[in-house]
Amino acid sequence: MKKYVAEMIGTLVLVLMGCGSAVFNGGAGSTAQVIAIAFAFGLSVLAMAHAIGGVSGCHINPAITLGCMLTGRMTNKEGVMYMLFQVIGAILGSTILFFLVQGYPTASATLTGANSYAESTSTLTAFLAEALFTCVFVLVVLGVTDIKKGNPAAAGLAIGLTLVMIHIVCIPITGTSVNPARSIGPALFEGGRALSQLWLFILAPLAGAALSAVIWKMISSEPVTK
């Protein structure tokens, strides 16, 4: 049970700090704001990796959990419980953020840092962006945390900086999710377009995670000896 609670707390912090940076910095209208938000998410992952990594592995993202399930690093039952508590953590983080915003003169267009893509961006573009960037993200996670081929000691830094990199590129397209839980929590409070587009921010990251698992199995498999 402790690892599930750890995942809940870690996801709560990710949403509170990452999405909070989008809300209280006035959105992502400038390069400086994009970079600030990107680092808020990346540093949240880095901090939580050190805080709860030894307890749960610090997935704090259903896409990462799915990648671990598909590569045989955890059972399906355990993976589903991870995902459940991650979503609960995201909702709790969004709840805190929602109440913090009340009465605060934020210039952001969103109250909770919810994901959505503009009408000028096609659904296909948004889906591909979320799937491909999630694939890159989860592939880094699978690689750096691999017991035999990875470098677990550097996992927090590598994963955190990868998330920063992805946000810098993807924020202008979708606001960057690559994490279904991170999108579910804020969308429940935001409503509107964030809620109507939520399906994409759930399915695309999971599709990207599945692709990363296939790629990792392919490139990490041991050669067959005769």
Side-chain angles (χ1 to χ4, degrees):
M1 189 65 183
K2 289 181 180 179
K3 56 189 173 185
Y4 304 140
V5 174
E7 285 295 304
M8 181 183 71
I9 293 172
T11 313
L12 183 159
V13 172
L14 174 70
V15 170
L16 182 60
M17 299 303 176
C19 295
S21 69
V23 173
F24 295 112
N25 279 299
S30 68
T31 300
Q33 288 171 320
V34 168
I35 293 174
I37 294 168
F39 270 94
F41 275 100
L43 291 175
S44 297
V45 169
L46 177 57
M48 288 299 98
H50 287 282
I52 67 170
V55 179
S56 69
C58 188
H59 293 190
I60 60 177
N61 182 340
I64 293 176
T65 299
L66 179 61
C68 290
M69 291 166 62
L70 294 178
T71 52
R73 299 188 187 185
M74 64 192 311
T75 65
N76 291 341
K77 180 180 179 181
E78 185 179 38
V80 169
M81 289 297 291
Y82 263 51
M83 292 179 182
L84 174 62
F85 277 82
Q86 288 158 2
V87 172
I88 293 173
I91 294 173
L92 291 175
S94 298
T95 302
I96 296 171
L97 186 56
F98 179 79
F99 282 106
L100 287 177
V101 169
Q102 302 305 310
Y104 182 86
T106 174
S108 176
T110 173
L111 295 176
T112 55
N115 290 114
S116 64
Y117 54 94
E119 294 179 0
S120 58
T121 300
S122 71
T123 301
L124 178 59
T125 296
F127 192 98
L128 287 175
E130 284 293 326
L132 292 174
F133 285 122
T134 304
C135 178
V136 172
F137 183 47
V138 177
L139 186 61
V140 170
V141 174
L142 294 176
V144 76
T145 59
D146 187 89
I147 296 177
K148 294 182 178 179
K149 299 178 176 64
N151 184 9
L157 185 60
I159 295 168
L161 289 179
T162 300
L163 191 58
V164 171
M165 174 184 69
I166 288 171
H167 272 76
I168 289 174
V169 179
C170 195
I171 281 176
I173 305 174
T174 63
T176 310
S177 172
V178 300
N179 183 336
R182 170 260 182 272
S183 292
I184 292 172
L188 294 179
F189 288 88
E190 196 74 32
R193 188 165 63 184
L195 197 57
S196 67
Q197 295 177 353
L198 181 58
W199 67 271
L200 185 146
F201 295 102
I202 295 174
L203 294 182
L206 294 179
L211 179 59
S212 72
V214 172
I215 294 173
W216 178 248
K217 283 183 176 181
M218 180 179 65
I219 64 176
S220 65
S221 59
E222 299 291 341
V224 178
T225 57
K226 294 183 180 181

